[in-house]
Amino acid sequence: MNKTILFVISCLLLLLTACKKEQPITQIKALESGVYFHSTIKQLTDVIVHDVFSPPVASRVYTYPCIAAYECLIPKNDKFKSLSGQLTGLTPVPKPDQDVTYNYEIASLKAFIIVGKMLVFSEDQFNSYEKELFNKINSEGISKEIINNSMTYGTKVANHILAWADKDNYKQTRTFPKYTETSDDVSSWKATPPDYMDGIEPHWNKIRPFVIDSATQFIPVKPTQFNLTKGSPFYKEIIEVYKTGNNLNKEQEEIAKFWDCNPFVSHHSGHVMFATKKITPGGHWIGITAIASKKQKLNFQETVEAYTRVSIGLADAFISCWDEKYRSVLIRPETIINQHIDEDWMPLLQTPPFPEYTSGHSVVSGAASIILTNLFGEDFYFKDTSEVEFGLPIRAFNSFKEAAEEAAISRLYGGIHYMPAINNGVDQGKKVGNFIKNNLITKK
């Protein structure tokens, strides 16, 4: 081989080496796998628990950050479809600069955190988490220029989503009047012990829905006609709650406690009162989404898609459910049983501060199970570890629908719902879930 050929080969090798060194690193394994997004969702859940958001409000807090994160990833993969034009009032988000290199996962995380911080009270907890997260990312070898470009893009998308969220009527409902009890109507909801709190979110049906046409799209059948005559259908429902609560076995007690998901349970001992904080019903299903996504080893974009679809389903399910709660305004079993059957009776679970019909757990569980089944399949076995950190054991399920059915019946075991609220609630939730499954397109 002559010197000229050797010189040419050497030059080519040097050129290739130089190009390799200059090629910007835009991806790292932890980002591609979705690990950082799972931890960011968990951080949001922890803040929601700390700040004690009610179940409907918590669903809103989950949904907007997920949508912001999802929209940041659309330029990365043309197989995924933007939610603009699909979600009520959402216009196209800003597009990235074609001449700039981005890491879209970093943009997604940044957008999620910005939106999340704006929707919670404890912003300082998110600030600490954000600093730690991006310190990890900075140590992974991605150029500072790409990180800065990505964070700038994520910020633009976040601001677009926040401007859209600002028009959903949430702020306006903060100024609306509280629910006023009707003292002369024996069938209407009354505040329950031990704190006798005002009815939570009586105007939630005025919040702009995401996919469903309106809060009234899936009105369930009316609850059983109120009638305290012994032998009447309604009286039988009361007795069913009473007798079930008095004869719970160990498994039924465990089921009720596992699905309690009451974000604020107060405990009274003499003059001392303290509270226990836990995840909301929606937070429990967000936890199940995390479990399923990790089991299937979804990549970052698929993980965000799963959380986004489920959170939208939860949000619309709460809007639908709360619309009915303050339409029927049905009295809780605890009130009726104490007044007419047994003044000393207490349900296993603390009765939540809002009307009985339909069961919120049943509605959101029905919706979430449909959406998760559509994502992961009918026979999806999983171990639900969502409540372990709250001192409760792991429960295993053969499908999301099986989990939803258990979540629903848990409300009878807990002593806080009549059976029609449970059965009709599941049906209502499934209608919401199926509507979202059939009308929200995330993959082309």
Side-chain angles (χ1 to χ4, degrees):
M1 185 178 293
N2 59 41
K3 292 181 179 181
T4 302
I5 294 174
L6 286 171
F7 177 76
V8 172
I9 292 173
S10 298
C11 289
L12 288 171
L13 289 171
L14 287 170
L15 181 62
L16 288 171
T17 302
C19 289
K20 186 175 181 180
K21 288 180 179 178
E22 293 174 3
Q23 181 67 31
I25 300 173
T26 60
Q27 300 298 333
I28 55 178
K29 187 175 181 180
L31 282 170
E32 281 291 312
S33 68
V35 169
Y36 289 153
F37 195 77
H38 284 303
S39 67
T40 305
I41 282 276
K42 182 60 171 66
Q43 177 63 27
L44 180 60
T45 294
D46 290 345
V47 174
I48 288 172
V49 171
H50 179 272
D51 289 351
V52 195
F53 286 107
S54 68
V57 176
S59 72
R60 179 180 184 268
V61 176
Y62 279 118
T63 307
Y64 284 113
C66 285
I67 292 169
Y70 177 86
E71 287 297 309
C72 280
L73 297 165
I74 295 302
K76 176 183 171 67
N77 189 337
D78 61 8
K79 291 182 180 179
F80 286 83
K81 182 178 175 62
S82 171
L83 302 179
S84 65
Q86 298 192 76
L87 303 182
T88 307
L90 179 59
T91 57
V93 302
K95 293 183 178 180
D97 190 332
Q98 296 299 313
D99 299 324
V100 174
T101 303
Y102 300 95
N103 177 290
Y104 290 106
E105 288 83 359
I106 292 175
S108 179
L109 290 166
K110 182 65 176 178
F112 183 99
I113 290 171
I114 289 174
V115 176
K117 284 196 293 187
M118 289 298 295
L119 301 180
V120 299
F121 303 132
S122 301
E123 187 177 337
D124 57 323
Q125 292 190 22
F126 245 128
N127 287 334
S128 300
Y129 172 80
E130 181 180 15
K131 183 178 180 181
E132 181 183 345
L133 173 66
F134 284 105
N135 280 340
K136 289 179 183 178
I137 292 173
N138 284 328
S139 69
E140 295 282 2
I142 298 179
S143 76
K144 290 185 178 179
E145 180 183 2
I146 292 173
I147 291 175
N148 290 336
N149 293 341
S150 306
M151 293 176 74
T152 298
Y153 180 61
T155 301
K156 289 180 180 179
V157 173
N159 289 337
H160 185 89
I161 297 301
L162 284 170
W164 170 57
D166 199 47
K167 299 175 183 178
D168 71 354
N169 215 30
Y170 176 76
K171 290 182 179 178
Q172 288 79 356
T173 59
R174 302 308 90 191
T175 66
F176 292 173
K178 295 180 180 179
Y179 172 74
T180 302
E181 293 183 16
T182 308
S183 58
D184 59 346
D185 183 355
V186 294
S187 69
S188 67
W189 179 80
K190 308 293 188 297
T192 51
D195 300 314
Y196 298 93
M197 293 174 62
D198 291 330
I200 286 176
E201 299 298 339
H203 306 287
W204 200 252
N205 64 344
K206 298 177 180 66
I207 299 295
R208 178 187 61 201
F210 289 88
V211 179
I212 60 175
D213 297 341
S214 69
T216 59
Q217 185 176 357
F218 297 111
I219 297 176
V221 298
K222 291 181 179 180
T224 305
Q225 185 176 3
F226 184 85
N227 186 340
L228 293 180
T229 303
K230 289 185 178 181
S232 71
F234 185 73
Y235 190 83
K236 289 179 180 178
E237 291 169 11
I238 299 169
I239 295 300
E240 181 179 26
V241 176
Y242 179 65
K243 288 185 176 180
T244 300
N246 288 341
N247 296 283
L248 293 172
N249 59 39
K250 186 177 180 180
E251 173 76 358
Q252 290 170 330
E253 285 190 16
E254 183 178 301
I255 289 171
K257 291 176 181 178
F258 184 78
W259 292 102
D260 183 17
C261 303
N262 189 336
F264 187 86
V265 177
S266 61
H267 306 270
H268 297 257
S269 179
H271 296 291
V272 178
M273 192 278 279
F274 66 96
T276 303
K277 298 179 182 181
K278 291 183 288 187
I279 54 175
T280 62
H284 194 138
W285 282 100
I286 288 292
I288 291 173
T289 304
I291 292 165
S293 299
K294 291 173 184 177
K295 181 178 178 180
Q296 289 299 94
K297 298 180 180 179
L298 300 187
N299 65 31
F300 191 100
Q301 194 159 11
E302 292 167 338
T303 297
V304 174
E305 177 198 21
Y307 280 120
T308 302
R309 291 187 71 91
V310 171
S311 64
I312 289 171
L314 293 169
D316 274 358
F318 273 113
I319 291 170
S320 179
C321 178
W322 250 245
D323 175 65
E324 178 55 40
K325 280 187 178 294
Y326 286 94
R327 177 186 297 104
S328 52
V329 202
L330 185 61
I331 197 165
R332 287 278 185 170
E334 182 174 16
T335 307
I336 288 290
I337 292 170
N338 288 164
Q339 290 178 348
H340 299 278
I341 298 173
D342 183 348
E343 63 181 9
D344 297 320
W345 185 83
M346 292 177 62
L348 176 66
L349 303 180
Q350 194 167 111
T351 302
F354 37 80
E356 192 271 344
Y357 189 83
T358 47
S359 158
H361 270 63
S362 303
V363 178
V364 301
S365 297
S369 69
I370 293 292
I371 294 168
L372 284 166
T373 299
N374 183 52
L375 286 166
F376 297 102
E378 289 282 348
D379 301 315
F380 191 93
Y381 174 83
F382 66 97
K383 293 182 178 179
D384 188 353
T385 58
S386 304
E387 300 285 347
V388 169
E389 65 181 291
F390 302 103
L392 296 171
I394 297 170
R395 294 190 66 79
F397 301 97
N398 293 308
S399 69
F400 301 112
K401 291 179 181 178
E402 181 180 270
E405 289 169 0
E406 184 177 281
I409 197 63
S410 75
R411 313 316 276 167
L412 174 67
Y413 301 155
I416 57 180
H417 277 293
Y418 315 110
M419 278 306 299
I422 294 168
N423 293 332
N424 297 336
V426 170
D427 182 62
Q428 182 182 3
K430 286 181 177 180
K431 288 177 180 177
V432 172
N434 277 313
F435 188 81
I436 291 170
K437 180 187 76 172
N438 295 330
N439 289 276
L440 183 66
I441 301 171
T442 46
K443 283 194 181 79
K444 296 178 182 177

